[in-house]
């Protein structure tokens, strides 16, 4: 395959300041081009335009900035003139699939300020103030704001007189800040409230008005101008509706607090209550020099002295817009339902503009927006159909531009993200009628013909990835879920070759597998069969199986007949039999077993079983506490009803609970809690007497990890002194303790993804000095330290969100782990580690430059690595990377023989010019120090040969033909025990039989 990608030079800084450096292209230490082979571009449909969010700000050149998300980048900052060719990503602030979530875009002159998080939108990320001129180089961080809590965030932003003002929820208070665009000039103005209050900001000319709270939790209205800040009034908050609205009408400010309407001219004396109404004041708008607002069953107005009702309605009034000297809004009337109304501000001039859907149900219109001389909104045209409408302010000129299938939201109204961008209005429609968040971006210029789906912002194809993890490996194949763009999700199987990657069956939905590090599997291998759960449209989520063929991918049993689901899950194999949990038609939980046939699939024992785990040939599980006070308990089973029995109830009580057990060298460890603060670590040998507490006194034990070291179990826990940190236990109280307080004090480091690599564990953790990075431990406090800083300083080299969980794959026989890591220069790419600084480096760059491939969904498949990764040409697709075959310390004239014609083109040696020829790679360890000669003499085709360092990937020598021969030879002086990677490749696209010889030079 052409275009194999080189290992780029990059340094990873360790805690002691040493570096791990990849080979640097263009030097004598040329990196070996370890390529990543794309199995098949499963979804070949053209890439779609990113899904836009409704917040946008126009620039002076007619383009607009807005936040958008696509399949390669998370929610990031984009710029567009309303056309595909005029649209581009400004900057991938949080690399890869992680969201920086640009918010509160506020223009000050030619600069736009906004809030974002370069480390991803997660609890560990620091809230930041950014600014941009609309170019990548002009998009820079102004300041990292101080962090004292997981939910610190900028809550609102305005500009006045060339200065940007914003509210910041920080720890135990909400603060008002201002910024002149420099870090030093970004400072706190004053504390305004407790955090997460509904503090409002509004700029009127050069004055900023804002609401606040006093020490008695009363509301306050303040102003801030060149003379400083001043409190204008204090008012009582509603205990049930403590929020405010601010709207300016000329030089007057209106404040709505629950049922009371206030007005202010900017002085304490000119700030007073206009009226207290018998309803909560809704949306407000300035129109014809007065304030109009919606209330319960009515349209109201105020001139700042009194409030009066304009028109009575029988339901909600809101979604205001003004156009051509008229006010438009959605009004609810008993005869018409919710429809489009208009008003000139008088009762006589307030009337229904058009009954879009005749009858009392109405059109449920909303999202009114005045843009480019027209009024735009969405409304239902019939049950299950919604449309984009445009109105010129007349009934005849109110027409539908585009309709689509859409089910109404059950609780919240769906947003279609109206985004004026340059010459067009962008909006989103759902891909499927039931989607709660419409995500397909369309554009309109105000005509039906000019309303169409946006094309891609670059040339390429869409992503096929559906689930974050592969389902399972069975034999020499991996099973995974993906989509070719057609409705539903398809179960695929691959043997690591394009021809061997085939679809098996398409379902309405395949459940998420492994969304987080320690979740129970949604699929499992039993012998040569894959068992999984899926929904096919006729049945709910039920038990399915596959033998690797389309014909053999079938429903095992419809446990709850019809479209309802049995909630099958927690799949576990014991002695060639599948065990799982499910509910029956009466919604009673049971432990089930299956031999893969309908008749052989039946409930073994009733009860709320979960957390199935096999240890030493015995199935263990937990049972939830019951309402009658019977506590959570540990059970075991040999697979028969008679052999299924209670082991022990560690803690009684209706709120008690047990964690998922893990096994360490034959001993079962789990946590138990009473639900009222008492959390304990337990162990069990499978008997009641051998099920005992190890240590008590924890405030929490979140996760026990399956990766162990020296017979010790590691787990995530907290106590009265420490936050969520890594603990260890050898099964005794004395041998149970905190491994290391990584984030000192009550802060949380949240260590996770523990993976065994040789005699170490590697994992991900957070501290304020390093951010979220890769750590290692040998099981001691002193041996627990940062392994590398992929992003030096306080930034995060590991970006984690709930939607993009971090995954690491341990390869035990090679004492390696594979994981995604990143920095600003290269994006999030494929990394590997052997637990040492020198052995931790970027394995391959799949997406060039700062664009991230964001590899995930790792699975071992023989001598290949399966994973999902993205690039701009193909989107996120399945890939395979071959591991070199192990030769040990062999020497001789034919230490390896075979044919490259059955291999894949993975490597481009540095002394050849293409990547079309298939190749074979080997790992060889020097039996002694000295000079060795490596040759392809005796091969049956034109070969090339390259040696590279197994740790760094740096080239140690390359040859394409020796003298007049078509065979190749390389000499290299090595030290005893040094491991080399040997790659045999061919000329152009040639393949054939090869022979590798290794001899020591005398």
């Amino acid at each position: 395959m052409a275009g194999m990608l080189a290992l780029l030079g990059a340094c990873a800084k360790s805690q002691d300041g040493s570096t791990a450096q990849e080979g640097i292209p263009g030097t004598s230490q040329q990196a070996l081009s370890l390529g990543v082979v794309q199995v098949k571009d499963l979804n070949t449909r053209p890439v779609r335009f990113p899904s836009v969010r409704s917040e946008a700000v126009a620039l002076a050149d007619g383009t607009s900035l807005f936040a958008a998300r696509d399949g390669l980048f998370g929610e990031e900052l984009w710029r567009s003139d309303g056309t595909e060719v005029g649209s581009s990503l400004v900057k991938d602030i949080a690399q890869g699939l992680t969201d920086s979530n640009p918010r509160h875009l506020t223009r000050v002159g030619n600069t736009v300020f906004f809030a974002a998080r370069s480390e991803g939108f997660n609890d560990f990320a620091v809230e930041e103030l950014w600014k941009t001129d609309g170019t990548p180089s002009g998009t820079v961080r102004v300041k990292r704001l101080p962090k004292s809590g997981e939910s610190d965030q900028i809550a609102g932003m305005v500009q006045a007189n060339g200065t940007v003002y914003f509210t910041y929820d920080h720890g135990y208070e909400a603060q008002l800040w201002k910024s002149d665009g420099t870090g030093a000039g970004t400072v706190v103005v004053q504390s305004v409230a407790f955090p997460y209050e509904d503090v409002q900001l509004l700029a009127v000319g050069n004055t900023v008005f804002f609401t606040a709270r006093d020490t008695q939790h009363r509301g306050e209205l303040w102003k801030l101008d060149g003379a400083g800040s001043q409190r204008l009034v204090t008012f009582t908050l509603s205990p049930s509706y403590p929020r405010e609205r601010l709207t300016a009408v000329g030089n007057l400010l209106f404040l709505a607090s629950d049922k009371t309407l206030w007005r202010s001219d900017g002085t304490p004396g000119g700030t007073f209550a206009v009226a207290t109404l018998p309803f909560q004041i809704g949306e407000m708008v300035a129109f014809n020099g007065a304030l109009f607002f919606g209330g319960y069953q009515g349209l109201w107005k105020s001139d700042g002295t009194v409030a009066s009702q304009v028109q009575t309605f029988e339901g909600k009034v809101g979604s205001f817009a003004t156009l051509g000297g008229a006010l438009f809004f959605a009004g609810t009337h008993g005869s018409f339902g919710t429809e489009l109304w208009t008003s000139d501000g008088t009762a006589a001039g307030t009337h229904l503009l058009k009954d879009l859907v005749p009858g009392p149900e109405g059109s449920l219109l909303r999202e009114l927006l005045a843009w480019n001389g027209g009024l735009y909104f969405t409304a239902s045209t019939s049950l299950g159909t919604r449309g984009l409408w445009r109105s010129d302010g007349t009934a005849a000129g109110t027409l539908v531009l585009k309709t689509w299938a859409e089910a109404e939201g059950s609780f919240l109204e769906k947003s279609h993200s109206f985004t004026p961008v340059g010459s067009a209005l962008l909006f989103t429609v759902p891909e499927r009628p039931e989607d709660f968040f419409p995500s397909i971006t369309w554009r309109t210029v105000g005509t039906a013909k000019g309303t169409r789906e946006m094309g891609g912002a670059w040339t390429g194809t869409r992503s096929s990835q559906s689930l974050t993890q592969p389902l399972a490996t069975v034999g020499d194949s991996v099973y995974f879920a993906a989509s070719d763009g057609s409705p539903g999700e398809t179960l695929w199987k691959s043997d690591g070759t394009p021809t061997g990657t085939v679809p098996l069956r398409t379902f309405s939905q395949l459940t998420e597998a492994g969304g987080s590090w320690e979740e129970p599997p949604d699929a499992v291998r039993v012998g040569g069969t894959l068992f999984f759960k899926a929904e096919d449209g006729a049945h709910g989520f039920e038990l399915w199986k596959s033998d690797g063929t389309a014909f053999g991918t079938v429903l095992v049993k419809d446990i709850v007949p019809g479209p309802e689901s049995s909630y099958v899950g927690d799949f576990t194999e014991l002695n060639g039999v599948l065990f799982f949990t499910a509910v029956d038609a009466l919604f009673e939980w049971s432990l089930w077993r299956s031999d893969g046939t309908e008749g052989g699939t039946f409930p073994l024992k009733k009860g709320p079983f979960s957390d199935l785990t096999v240890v030493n040939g015995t199935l263990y599980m937990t049972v939830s506490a019951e309402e009658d006070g019977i506590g959570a308990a540990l059970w075991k089973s040999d697979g028969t009803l008679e052999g299924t029995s209670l082991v022990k109830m560690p803690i009684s009580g209706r709120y008690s609970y047990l964690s998922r057990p893990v096994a360490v060298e034959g001993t079962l460890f789990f946590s138990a809690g009473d639900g009222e603060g008492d959390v304990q670590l337990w162990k069990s040998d499978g008997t009641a007497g051998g099920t005992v507490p190890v240590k008590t006194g924890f405030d929490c034990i979140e996760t026990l990890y399956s990766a162990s070291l020296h017979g010790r179990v590691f787990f995530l826990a907290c106590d009265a002194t420490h936050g969520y940190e890594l603990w260890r236990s050898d099964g005794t109280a004395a041998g149970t303790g905190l491994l290391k307080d990584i984030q000192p004090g009550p802060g949380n480091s949240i260590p996770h993804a523990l993976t065994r690599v040789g005699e170490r564990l590697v994992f991900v953790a957070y501290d304020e000095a390093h951010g979220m990075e890769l750590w290692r431990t040998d099981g001691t406090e002193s041996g627990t330290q940062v392994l590398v800083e992929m992003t030096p300083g306080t930034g995060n080299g590991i970006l984690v969100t709930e939607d993009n969980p971090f995954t690491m794959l341990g390869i035990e026989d090679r004492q390696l782990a594979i994981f995604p890591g990143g920095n600003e220069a290269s994006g999030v790419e494929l990394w590997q580690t052997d637990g040492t600084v020198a052995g931790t480096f970027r394995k391959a760059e799949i997406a060039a430059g700062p664009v991230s491939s964001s590899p995930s969904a790792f699975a071992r498949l023989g001598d290949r690595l399966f994973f999902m990764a993205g690039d701009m040409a193909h989107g996120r697709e399945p890939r395979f990377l071959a591991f070199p075959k192990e030769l040990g310390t062999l020497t001789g004239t034919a230490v390896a023989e075979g044919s490259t014609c059955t291999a894949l083109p993975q490597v481009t040696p540095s002394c050849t010019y293409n990547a079309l020829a298939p190749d074979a790679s080997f790992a060889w360890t020097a039996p002694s120090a000295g000079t060795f000669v490596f040759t392809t003499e005796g091969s049956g085709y034109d070969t090339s040969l390259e040696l590279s360092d197994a740790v760094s990937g740096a080239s140690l020598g390359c040859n394409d033909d020796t003298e007049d021969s078509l065979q190749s030879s390389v000499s290299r002086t090595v030290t005893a025990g040094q491991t080399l990677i040997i790659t045999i490749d061919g000329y152009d696209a040639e393949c054939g039989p090869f022979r590798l010889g290794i001899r020591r030079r005398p």
Side-chain angles (χ1 to χ4, degrees):
M1 176 181 175
M4 295 299 103
L5 302 163
L7 289 174
L8 295 186
C11 293
K13 183 180 176 184
S14 73
Q15 192 176 34
D16 59 10
S18 60
T19 60
Q21 186 168 10
E22 297 173 306
I24 302 174
T27 72
S28 59
Q29 296 297 306
Q30 174 71 36
L32 181 65
S33 299
L34 291 179
V36 178
V37 175
Q38 181 177 324
V39 176
K40 186 183 286 187
D41 198 351
L42 306 182
N43 190 343
T44 58
R45 302 187 182 195
V47 66
R48 275 181 162 144
F49 197 83
S51 180
V52 302
R53 301 299 184 257
S54 57
E55 185 178 12
V57 62
L59 300 179
D61 64 356
T63 63
S64 295
L65 297 175
F66 56 93
R69 175 201 299 270
D70 71 1
L72 288 182
F73 308 100
E75 188 171 328
E76 296 294 347
L77 188 67
W78 284 71
R79 181 175 184 170
S80 177
D81 62 2
T83 68
E84 289 85 352
V85 296
S87 301
S88 61
L89 177 73
V90 176
K91 191 165 189 172
D92 190 15
I93 294 173
Q95 297 166 332
L97 297 175
T98 308
D99 301 330
S100 72
N101 195 15
R103 289 155 286 129
H104 310 301
L105 276 65
T106 303
R107 181 176 167 183
V108 182
N110 293 321
T111 301
V112 174
F113 290 81
F114 59 96
R117 298 187 182 188
S118 61
E119 297 153 355
F121 205 74
N122 59 69
D123 290 341
F124 299 101
V126 175
E127 187 80 324
E128 299 165 337
L129 179 67
W130 284 69
K131 67 178 181 180
T132 182
D133 61 4
T135 67
S137 61
T139 302
V140 295
R141 182 171 54 224
V142 177
K143 188 172 184 123
R144 287 171 61 89
L145 300 179
K147 182 179 177 66
S148 64
E150 295 177 353
S151 300
D152 289 3
Q153 63 178 341
I154 293 175
M157 191 180 299
V158 298
Q159 76 86 22
N161 201 27
T163 299
V164 66
Y165 296 86
F166 58 92
T167 53
Y168 180 46
D169 292 330
H170 176 50
Y172 295 100
E173 64 177 348
Q175 301 169 335
L176 178 66
W177 285 63
K178 68 177 181 179
S179 177
D180 62 2
T182 68
T186 303
V187 296
V188 178
V189 176
Q190 69 182 70
S191 176
V192 295
F194 296 105
Y196 321 120
E197 299 275 8
D198 189 41
V199 174
Q200 298 294 307
L201 278 176
L202 181 67
V204 181
N206 293 329
T207 301
V208 175
F209 292 90
F210 60 95
T211 58
R213 303 288 185 266
D214 66 8
T215 56
Q216 300 178 49
H217 201 66
R218 294 177 299 182
E220 297 177 331
L221 177 64
W222 288 70
K223 77 167 185 179
L224 177 66
D225 56 20
S229 59
Q230 181 183 20
R231 181 172 53 235
L232 300 177
V233 71
T234 299
F235 52 90
T236 301
L237 291 170
S238 167
S240 60
Y241 194 73
R243 61 170 301 184
E244 300 88 45
R245 299 175 187 268
L246 297 178
T247 300
V249 180
N251 292 324
L252 284 182
L253 177 79
F254 284 88
L255 161 69
S257 175
D258 191 25
K259 301 176 181 180
T260 301
L261 181 67
W262 297 74
R263 58 92 78 182
S264 177
D265 62 2
T267 67
T271 303
F272 54 84
V274 175
T276 298
L277 303 170
F279 54 84
Q280 291 176 348
I281 299 172
E283 184 180 345
M284 304 190 299
V285 65
F287 172 64
N288 279 356
L291 178 77
F292 285 77
F293 57 94
Y296 178 69
Q297 298 183 343
L299 173 67
W300 290 68
K301 71 178 180 179
S302 175
D303 61 0
T305 61
V306 295
S308 59
Q309 189 175 48
V310 177
Q311 179 75 38
T312 300
F313 286 86
E314 298 176 8
K316 180 180 177 181
V317 174
S319 193
F320 294 113
T322 61
L323 179 70
L327 176 67
F328 296 89
F329 58 95
T332 303
H333 191 279
S335 301
F336 307 109
T338 302
E339 291 291 359
L340 181 62
W341 288 69
T342 185
S343 176
D344 63 2
T346 67
T350 302
H351 60 87
L352 178 71
L353 180 66
K354 187 169 184 174
D355 191 7
L356 305 180
V357 178
E361 295 300 321
S363 65
L364 301 177
L365 89 160
R366 55 180 179 265
E367 302 171 285
L368 271 70
L369 173 71
W371 174 76
N372 201 27
L375 182 71
Y376 294 81
F377 56 93
T378 65
S380 296
T381 57
S382 62
L383 183 64
T385 302
R386 198 160 187 87
L388 174 69
W389 293 69
R390 182 189 186 277
S391 177
D392 62 3
T394 68
T398 302
L399 303 170
V400 65
L401 301 179
K402 164 70 182 175
T403 62
W404 57 86
E406 177 176 319
E408 284 295 320
S410 301
F411 301 102
L412 299 175
E413 297 177 346
K414 297 181 181 180
S415 170
H416 298 85
S417 301
F418 283 180
T419 309
V421 174
S423 60
L425 174 65
L426 304 188
F427 63 100
T428 56
V429 303
E431 185 172 12
R432 294 173 292 271
E434 65 274 12
D435 288 352
F436 185 77
F437 297 104
S439 61
I440 309 303
T441 300
W442 282 62
R443 77 188 295 266
T444 186
V445 294
T447 65
K449 185 177 181 180
T451 302
R452 61 171 177 81
E453 182 179 350
M454 287 285 285
W458 63 81
T459 301
T461 58
R462 300 179 201 170
S463 299
S464 69
Q465 182 180 25
S466 293
L467 305 185
T468 58
Q469 298 285 21
L471 293 174
T473 56
V474 179
D476 294 328
S477 296
V478 62
Y479 291 77
F480 60 97
S483 172
D484 63 1
S486 303
E489 295 176 318
T490 300
L491 178 67
W492 289 73
K493 181 188 82 165
S494 179
D495 63 1
T497 67
T499 56
T501 301
V502 294
L504 299 179
R505 184 169 184 141
T506 298
F507 297 89
S508 299
Q509 188 174 354
L510 282 164
T511 55
E512 290 191 359
S516 65
W517 185 250
E518 294 287 326
E519 280 189 5
D522 282 338
V524 71
R525 175 184 63 83
V526 179
T529 300
L530 174 75
F531 287 90
F532 61 99
K533 60 182 177 183
E535 179 184 12
D536 67 353
H539 311 89
F541 282 112
E542 295 292 353
L543 179 64
W544 289 71
K545 70 175 181 179
S546 178
D547 63 1
T549 68
F551 182 79
T553 302
V554 296
L555 177 70
V556 176
K557 185 166 187 166
D558 190 13
I559 295 173
V560 177
E564 299 299 320
S565 299
S566 65
Y567 300 99
V568 291
D570 226 335
F571 297 138
T572 305
E573 183 268 341
L574 175 64
N575 298 328
V577 177
L578 172 70
F579 291 85
F580 62 97
T581 60
V583 299
D584 57 22
L586 299 177
F587 210 81
E588 293 181 333
W589 285 95
S590 296
L591 173 66
W592 288 66
R593 61 172 288 162
S594 176
D595 62 3
T597 67
E598 182 176 11
T601 303
F602 56 87
L604 184 63
K605 190 173 183 65
K606 287 188 178 297
F609 295 99
S610 61
D611 302 324
L612 276 60
T613 305
V614 173
V615 181
N616 294 334
T618 299
L619 177 67
Y620 291 89
M621 64 216 114
T622 64
V623 173
S624 303
E626 300 182 14
E627 292 293 329
D628 59 7
I630 298 177
L634 180 67
W635 283 64
K636 67 178 180 180
S637 177
D638 62 3
T640 67
L641 176 61
E642 297 77 15
T644 303
S645 61
L646 172 71
V647 177
K648 192 167 188 173
M649 183 191 304
I651 299 178
S652 62
R654 61 185 297 185
Y655 301 113
S656 62
Y657 62 89
L658 305 183
S659 71
R660 172 176 290 274
V662 298
V664 176
E665 296 186 357
T667 298
L668 204 65
F669 288 88
F670 60 94
S671 65
D674 64 1
E676 297 178 355
D678 181 21
V679 183
Q680 307 172 358
L681 178 66
W682 283 65
K683 68 176 181 180
S684 177
D685 62 2
T687 67
T691 303
V692 295
V694 176
K695 186 176 179 65
T696 62
F698 293 97
D699 287 349
C700 68
I701 298 179
E702 288 295 316
T703 306
L704 283 84
Y705 296 107
S706 55
S708 62
L709 196 64
H710 309 313
R712 293 177 173 85
V713 65
F714 292 82
F715 56 99
L716 179 65
C718 63
D719 62 13
T721 306
H722 310 93
Y724 292 99
E725 295 290 351
L726 191 61
W727 291 61
R728 63 184 174 183
S729 177
D730 62 2
T732 68
T736 302
L738 178 69
L739 177 62
K740 185 168 186 170
D741 194 10
I742 293 174
Q743 176 62 18
N748 305 316
S749 70
I750 313 289
H752 61 286
L754 270 71
T755 304
R756 179 78 176 260
V757 178
E759 293 303 307
R760 299 183 179 92
L761 293 177
V762 294
F763 59 96
V764 173
Y766 171 87
D767 71 350
E768 291 183 357
H770 306 95
M772 184 79 75
E773 292 287 0
L774 191 67
W775 287 64
R776 66 181 175 188
T777 184
D778 60 4
T780 67
E781 181 178 7
S782 61
T784 303
Q785 55 189 280
V786 173
L787 178 53
V788 293
E789 283 191 86
M790 285 164 279
T791 300
T794 59
N796 293 339
I798 304 292
L799 301 181
V800 181
T801 65
E802 290 184 3
D803 295 334
N804 185 34
F806 177 82
T807 57
M808 185 185 302
L809 176 70
I811 305 173
E812 294 184 12
D813 58 327
R814 295 176 182 266
Q815 297 188 4
L816 295 174
I818 300 293
F819 64 96
N823 53 51
E824 186 172 353
S826 64
V828 180
E829 294 293 346
L830 186 69
W831 283 61
Q832 81 171 42
T833 183
D834 63 0
T836 68
V837 175
T840 303
F841 56 90
R842 189 169 64 249
K843 182 76 172 173
E845 186 186 32
I846 302 159
V851 176
S852 298
S853 69
S854 302
S856 64
F858 303 114
R860 176 80 178 275
L861 187 62
D863 63 351
R864 297 185 185 276
L865 172 71
F866 169 93
F867 61 102
M868 287 284 188
D871 59 36
M872 297 186 76
H874 307 97
R876 292 186 62 76
E877 296 291 350
R879 323 251 173 170
F880 285 84
L881 177 67
F883 297 111
K885 293 179 174 61
E886 295 284 350
L887 295 179
T889 58
L890 288 176
T891 59
T893 57
V895 297
E897 293 182 287
S899 174
T900 57
C901 294
T902 58
L904 293 171
Q906 289 233 144
V907 175
T908 302
S910 60
C911 55
T912 63
Y913 68 91
N914 64 56
L916 298 178
D919 46 71
S921 293
F922 304 90
W924 177 80
T925 302
S928 59
T931 301
F932 288 79
V933 179
F934 305 81
T935 178
T936 61
E937 182 179 352
S939 298
Y941 74 112
D942 187 354
T943 64
S944 62
L945 181 68
E946 180 153 35
L947 308 182
S948 63
D949 184 79
V951 174
S952 69
S955 177
L956 303 178
C958 187
N959 178 249
D960 184 8
D961 301 347
T962 301
E963 297 177 350
D964 295 330
S965 168
L966 294 179
Q967 311 309 315
S968 303
S969 178
V970 177
S971 297
R972 182 70 187 183
T973 301
V974 296
T975 59
Q978 182 179 356
T979 300
L980 306 181
I981 303 298
I982 307 166
T983 299
I984 299 174
D985 210 306
Y987 170 76
D988 197 21
E990 289 186 23
C991 66
F994 67 83
R995 176 183 294 171
L996 174 63
I998 304 175
R999 70 176 187 272
R1000 182 186 176 112
R1001 178 176 292 172

